[in-house]
């Protein structure tokens, strides 16, 4: 999953980014002014935008309004010091999906982020099951036939994205766009490398592969009929 933080308090932005990255689910981009933030929001397929309201150049509500005007449905969580009821109503009326006021609790913030992303992928249950594989997107615990599987950060992030889209073909371009931030160094076969690492961890001892390659199109995770 990939998140954009539009926040002009650099230290706060870094703290939020760090907390999001520590969950292992998210690649994170930061924009520290409204103009750049709006540009990034339109340029990349984010799974979530964390939006401050009082920003240099272009305000948060204006960014939100322009996204919705263009039909962009990315989940937006407003994170702001403005806590008057009128501000909250205005934010919700402008098309934001959730609203938190500063100071805030980081644990609650992360839980709200996860809930918003699950909603985007139409997975209200935090535990996603594909055959004998179970991925708990809240605790990040992955089990296969009841046995816990430990994964590296990028393997988990990739698996979470694939299972949220289980049964659908996911292209390499989509994986790159959703799992890497714009500072990440990626090389041409990076996806293949992570896919094969993930397969090694998931498919050992199983008669049925879970991750399938669809030639020329990408990958799909689904249970193979016995
Ligand atoms: Ca601000």
């Amino acid at each position: 999953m990939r998140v954009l933080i539009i926040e002009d308090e650099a230290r706060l932005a870094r703290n939020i980014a760090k907390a999001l990255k520590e969950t292992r689910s998210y690649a994170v981009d930061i924009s520290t002014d409204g103009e750049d933030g709006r540009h990034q929001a339109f340029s990349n397929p984010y799974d979530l935008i964390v939006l401050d309201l009082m920003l240099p150049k272009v305000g948060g509500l204006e960014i939100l309004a322009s996204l919705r005007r263009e039909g962009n449905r990315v989940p937006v969580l407003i994170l702001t010091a403005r806590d008057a009821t009128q501000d909250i109503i205005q934010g919700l009326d402008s098309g934001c999906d959730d609203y938190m006021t500063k100071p805030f609790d980081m644990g609650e913030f992360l839980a709200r982020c996860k809930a918003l992303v699950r909603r985007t992928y139409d997975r209200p249950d935090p535990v996603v099951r594909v055959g004998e594989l179970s991925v708990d997107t809240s605790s990040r615990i992955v089990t296969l036939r009841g046995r816990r599987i430990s994964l590296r950060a990028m393997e988990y992030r990739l698996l979470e994205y694939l299972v949220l889209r289980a049964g659908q073909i996911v292209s390499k371009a989509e994986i790159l766009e959703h799992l890497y931030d714009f500072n990440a160094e990626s090389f041409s076969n990076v996806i293949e490398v992570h896919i094969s690492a993930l397969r090694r961890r998931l498919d050992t001892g199983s008669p049925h592969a879970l991750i399938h390659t669809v030639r020329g199109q990408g990958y799909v995770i689904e249970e193979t009929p016995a």
Side-chain angles (χ1 to χ4, degrees):
M1 300 300 127
R2 185 168 173 190
V3 181
L4 173 64
I5 299 168
I6 310 178
E7 168 63 72
D8 59 326
E9 291 169 52
R11 200 169 142 210
L12 176 62
R14 279 198 306 274
N15 287 342
I16 297 171
K18 184 164 170 278
L20 284 166
K21 284 179 187 167
E22 277 171 2
T23 68
R24 309 198 299 171
S25 291
Y26 307 105
V28 185
D29 296 326
I30 296 175
S31 243
T32 52
D33 74 62
E35 196 175 290
D36 178 66
R38 184 169 58 186
H39 173 72
Q40 296 304 338
F42 277 106
S43 308
N44 302 296
Y46 289 104
D47 297 292
L48 175 68
I49 294 178
V50 178
L51 182 65
D52 184 21
L53 289 185
M54 290 185 279
L55 290 162
K57 299 182 186 171
V58 179
L61 284 179
E62 200 180 325
I63 296 173
L64 179 58
S66 55
L67 281 167
R68 296 306 186 231
R69 209 163 40 235
E70 298 295 321
N72 189 315
R73 297 158 61 111
V74 59
V76 173
L77 188 159
I78 289 179
L79 187 61
T80 175
R82 276 159 55 172
D83 60 355
T85 309
Q86 198 47 47
D87 291 324
I88 299 175
I89 292 171
Q90 202 185 351
L92 291 167
D93 279 349
S94 305
C96 83
D97 300 275
D98 203 352
Y99 195 108
M100 283 186 88
T101 53
K102 303 170 188 170
F104 63 98
D105 177 82
M106 194 60 89
E108 182 187 344
F109 167 78
L110 293 174
R112 284 171 185 260
C113 291
K114 281 184 277 186
L116 287 170
V117 170
R118 279 201 299 270
R119 211 184 296 162
T120 312
Y121 288 92
D122 203 18
R123 300 269 178 195
D125 185 351
V127 181
V128 185
R129 292 180 186 83
V130 179
E132 295 173 305
L133 174 76
S134 156
V135 179
D136 186 330
T137 60
S138 291
S139 63
R140 271 89 196 178
I141 290 174
V142 177
T143 58
L144 184 63
R145 290 185 291 279
R147 192 171 57 91
R148 192 166 167 171
I149 307 274
S150 72
L151 297 175
R152 291 168 188 272
M154 188 46 83
E155 291 163 1
Y156 176 79
R157 199 187 290 173
L158 175 59
L159 179 64
E160 188 184 87
Y161 185 57
L162 291 175
V163 298
L164 284 172
R165 298 192 52 193
Q168 299 170 21
I169 298 169
V170 180
S171 71
K172 281 184 208 168
E174 286 175 309
I175 295 174
L176 274 174
E177 283 172 345
H178 285 269
L179 303 194
Y180 289 87
D181 59 64
F182 51 51
N183 294 317
E185 279 187 45
S186 55
F187 44 99
S188 59
N189 66 338
V190 66
I191 304 299
E192 283 95 328
V193 171
H194 288 304
I195 288 278
S196 44
L198 197 51
R199 276 182 171 143
R200 277 198 299 277
R201 292 187 194 265
L202 296 183
D203 291 343
T204 21
S206 168
H208 307 296
L210 283 168
I211 301 173
H212 311 272
T213 303
V214 183
R215 270 191 81 159
Q217 295 185 63
Y219 304 96
V220 60
I221 191 164
E222 61 189 353
E223 190 180 9
T224 323

